[in-house]
Amino acid sequence: MDFMYGVRVALWSAGIVALGVALIFVSSGIALWLFVLCFVLAFVFPVAAEVYADLRGRREKRESYVRTFGSVDELRLVIDGPGLRRIRDEDGLIAAVRELRSRHPGLPLDMAVTLLKEL
């Protein structure tokens, strides 16, 4: 988890530095394309940091759930398949996902959707 925050801080720092360099380039009147490049990078780096953190967090949450509660196949044996199938058919997939996640807190959304589509 510490590595994730280190990467995030580095990308945010790179974005701030790129913004500062862009401001230096615009005030000194050097090439316009350098200003545009630095200005774009000032936004790309923080967005990349947040996307990276989100993806890494989702993967860690999924791995944590699998470590704690077992695989999806074991979960499939424990859930109330006919009841969830009825909810899915009558009220829709979203209602069934809410019900499944209320019964099994911490279940990642993608696992719940996949499981309910397979019922």
Side-chain angles (χ1 to χ4, degrees), residues 56-109:
R56 178 100 184 228
R58 286 183 188 195
R59 185 177 65 224
E60 288 177 358
K61 183 178 179 182
R62 182 183 183 100
E63 290 171 355
S64 170
Y65 186 82
V66 169
R67 265 193 319 272
T68 305
F69 298 105
S71 68
V72 177
D73 295 328
E74 292 174 9
L75 180 64
R76 194 175 288 127
L77 297 173
V78 175
I79 65 169
D80 175 28
L84 288 170
R85 191 177 307 116
R86 181 185 50 77
I87 293 172
R88 182 193 66 193
D89 294 341
E90 291 176 2
D91 300 331
L93 183 62
I94 295 173
V97 168
R98 282 187 192 136
E99 180 64 27
L100 178 61
R101 291 186 78 196
S102 71
R103 292 181 188 177
H104 298 278
L107 178 66
L109 181 62

Side-chain angles (χ1 to χ4, degrees), residues 19-85:
L19 183 63
V21 170
L23 293 175
I24 290 171
F25 282 152
V26 79
S27 66
S28 65
I30 301 181
L32 179 65
W33 67 273
L34 286 173
F35 164 73
V36 172
L37 175 67
C38 289
F39 195 73
V40 168
L41 288 177
F43 290 98
V44 169
F45 284 137
V47 168
E50 295 306 311
V51 167
Y52 171 77
D54 183 52
L55 292 176
R56 178 100 184 228
R58 286 183 188 195
R59 185 177 65 224
E60 288 177 358
K61 183 178 179 182
R62 182 183 183 100
E63 290 171 355
S64 170
Y65 186 82
V66 169
R67 265 193 319 272
T68 305
F69 298 105
S71 68
V72 177
D73 295 328
E74 292 174 9
L75 180 64
R76 194 175 288 127
L77 297 173
V78 175
I79 65 169
D80 175 28
L84 288 170
R85 191 177 307 116

